[in-house]
Amino acid sequence: MEKELELYDVTIVGGGPVGLFTAFYSGMREMKTKILEYLPFLGGKVSYFYPEKIIRDVGGIPAVTGDTFTEQLIEQATTFDPTIVLGKQVTTLQKLENGNFIVRTNDGEEHYSRTIILATGFGSLKTIKLDIPEATTYESGNLHYTVRNLEKFRGKKIVISGGGNSAIDWANELEPIAEEVTLIYRKETFSGIESNISKMKNSSVNVLTPYEVVILNGDGEIISDIVIENVKTKGQQTISSDHLIVNHGFAIDLGDIAGWGCDMADGTIKVDNTMQTSIPGIFAVGDIANYPNKLHLIAGGFNEGPIAVNSAKLHIAPSEELKALFSTNMESFQDKS
Ligand SMILES: Cc1cc2nc3c(=O)[nH]c(=O)nc-3n(C[C@H](O)[C@H](O)[C@H](O)COP(=O)(O)OP(=O)(O)OC[C@H]3O[C@@H](n4cnc5c(N)ncnc54)[C@H](O)[C@@H]3O)c2cc1C
């Protein structure tokens, strides 16, 4: 059965920023590379949580929006044409007697690889949705779980449900451009960053606590108004809205990662200084990697990717020399510039 599957040198599980940069470096080292990503799009947490926010802590890039950063990462990652498979969650890894791996996804597909680099972040990202049956019908209309384009909200009446950092951030970002911003939170105290909470409270944002959204009125595609209920008194009121943004956080589905056999600590995978896990041939990079003094920063993951790729290359061909290949020295880039 395994002979029918195309053999890859490296299969990267996770297409977030670190997985993408790792794919680039893997291609540069002439490894046949595949990325498997659960979401229908690349970019991981950057695309999912903060596409419109400004990233300022990646060397050489003073300021860039999450979306632009992701576009550039994808452009770089696809330089050497890796195979990219979207919308599939890796469920099991199996090491074969010949040392290669079979990677299985949630739809039963199998992928065959000499080495594996786990770039899964803390797991598959799943938004916590509004707990109202009719909510799903409005997702293609004016119910949003993330903000992808601020301009869409200019001059509009916005209702935001949530009380964490994201909800407060969006209230502050939208307040200067929207006609009106109302923030509804089911608790009385907020859990976000204090300075952002103060900024919101001192602005024109209409803050309603302790309320929650209970009914969405509309035509099944566009919400026209929202019924909110005081969680203590049960008193209800109706507010009109052009857009409802729900920021109730997210659930991270680590899936079966814990069952893949790699030694773990605090929900992440332990690696040595070659980024190898406790299973030879499986490496981990980015947020999922656990080692002393690990920082959950994109810039840190950009160092781990090349280390893992070089280690994977050595795993495949132990006689290879361990070297840091410089892109500036590569002839293949002369044609691409
Ligand atoms: C709101 C917010 C703001 C941040 N701001 C900054 C910042 O300004 N600067 C900075 O350096 N860092 C920032 N971070 C942290 C940064 O986003 C992470 O460190 C970075 O995204 C880690 O990249 P990664 O590729 O390791 O993981 P992720 O970005 O989490 O990507 C992992 C990918 O793997 C996929 N995946 C997981 N499990 C599976 C599976 N079983 N099968 C298939 N696919 C799977 C996931 O769907 C996801 O797309 C921020 C984080 C948040 C939440």
Side-chain angles (χ1 to χ4, degrees), residues 13-19 36-39 44-45 49-50 55 57 88-90 119-121 123-125 260 286-287 296-298:
V13 183
V18 179
L36 295 171
E37 167 56 52
Y38 163 70
L39 291 170
K45 290 194 199 75
F49 292 115
Y50 51 107
I55 301 169
D57 51 2
K88 293 185 198 276
Q89 184 173 30
V90 171
T120 55
S124 305
L125 304 167
W260 291 351
D287 280 356
H296 295 120
L297 283 177
I298 295 164

Side-chain angles (χ1 to χ4, degrees), residues 129-146:
K129 302 263 177 115
L130 197 59
D131 191 17
I132 296 178
E134 67 269 24
T136 46
T137 65
Y138 294 106
E139 283 179 26
S140 55
N142 57 351
L143 167 61
H144 314 275
Y145 289 99
T146 188

Side-chain angles (χ1 to χ4, degrees), residues 3 20 51 90 95 97 108 123 172 202:
K3 286 196 188 109
L20 287 169
V90 171
K95 191 164 189 171
E97 277 182 7
N172 285 331
N202 293 327

Side-chain angles (χ1 to χ4, degrees), residues 44-58:
K45 290 194 199 75
V46 182
S47 302
Y48 197 84
F49 292 115
Y50 51 107
E52 286 275 339
K53 296 249 174 80
I54 309 286
I55 301 169
R56 299 177 196 276
D57 51 2
V58 176

Side-chain angles (χ1 to χ4, degrees), residues 67-81:
D67 255 348
T68 303
F69 186 53
T70 301
E71 276 167 27
Q72 291 175 357
L73 279 166
I74 294 171
E75 185 185 332
Q76 188 179 39
T78 51
T79 310
F80 300 100
D81 299 320

